[in-house]
Amino acid sequence: MAIKIVVTNVMVSDQTTAYHFYTEILGFQVKNDIQMGEARWLTVVSPLAPDGPELLLEPMGHGPLVEAAQAWQSALRENGIPAAMFGVDDVDAEYTRITALGHAFEAPPQSAGPVRYARIHDGCGNLIQITQFLK
């Protein structure tokens, strides 16, 4: 038996802000955008794998979950742990491209062992890492 990732999520404080960041800044494509009451089932995918794993931009507005989600996001951020990590071919080129769009990174790209990475805030409480695996 094999198992695969179908959908994973990132908790977001505002789905409209998340939509903008994950599609217009990072370049993901919308897979699903279905209104479900006050929130949406909003998933994005890599343009390189449109039938691959989906990232659910999960709204935090579900009663007691808001406080738990905010505490989780804060703990991750305060400890420098990204909520999600996405692979890129050239982290320096992505840094330049995204910075030109007016979105600031936490710091310029850095190297650590077999990877080069940069971290950016998504505007919804999450620290996101883009990573290039060095050869």
Side-chain angles (χ1 to χ4, degrees):
M1 178 177 140
I3 191 164
K4 64 181 180 178
I5 298 170
V6 177
V7 177
T8 189
N9 71 334
V10 172
M11 298 297 290
V12 298
S13 57
D14 180 89
Q15 285 185 307
T16 301
T17 300
Y19 179 97
H20 169 73
F21 176 79
Y22 289 91
T23 61
E24 296 175 26
I25 303 297
L26 291 185
F28 286 104
Q29 295 176 339
V30 173
K31 178 79 173 196
N32 292 289
D33 189 353
I34 303 165
Q35 196 66 42
M36 301 186 74
E38 294 179 23
R40 295 147 53 189
W41 178 262
L42 179 56
T43 65
V44 295
V45 294
S46 167
L48 300 174
D51 294 320
E54 297 176 44
L55 178 65
L56 172 62
L57 305 177
E58 180 78 53
M60 296 190 320
H62 297 299
L65 284 182
V66 173
E67 289 180 20
Q70 288 172 337
W72 174 251
Q73 283 180 329
S74 291
L76 290 176
R77 272 193 327 270
E78 289 168 12
N79 288 283
I81 300 170
M85 179 173 48
F86 305 117
V88 297
D89 290 333
D90 183 339
V91 76
D92 293 287
E94 285 300 305
Y95 175 83
T96 300
R97 182 187 69 77
I98 292 170
T99 301
L101 293 173
H103 209 89
F105 279 78
E106 183 179 74
Q110 336 178 19
S111 295
V115 300
R116 188 152 173 77
Y117 68 92
R119 293 185 179 148
I120 188 169
H121 294 275
D122 70 356
C124 295
N126 298 298
L127 182 59
I128 300 300
Q129 181 169 303
I130 59 171
T131 303
Q132 173 187 353
F133 290 90
L134 304 171
K135 297 179 184 191

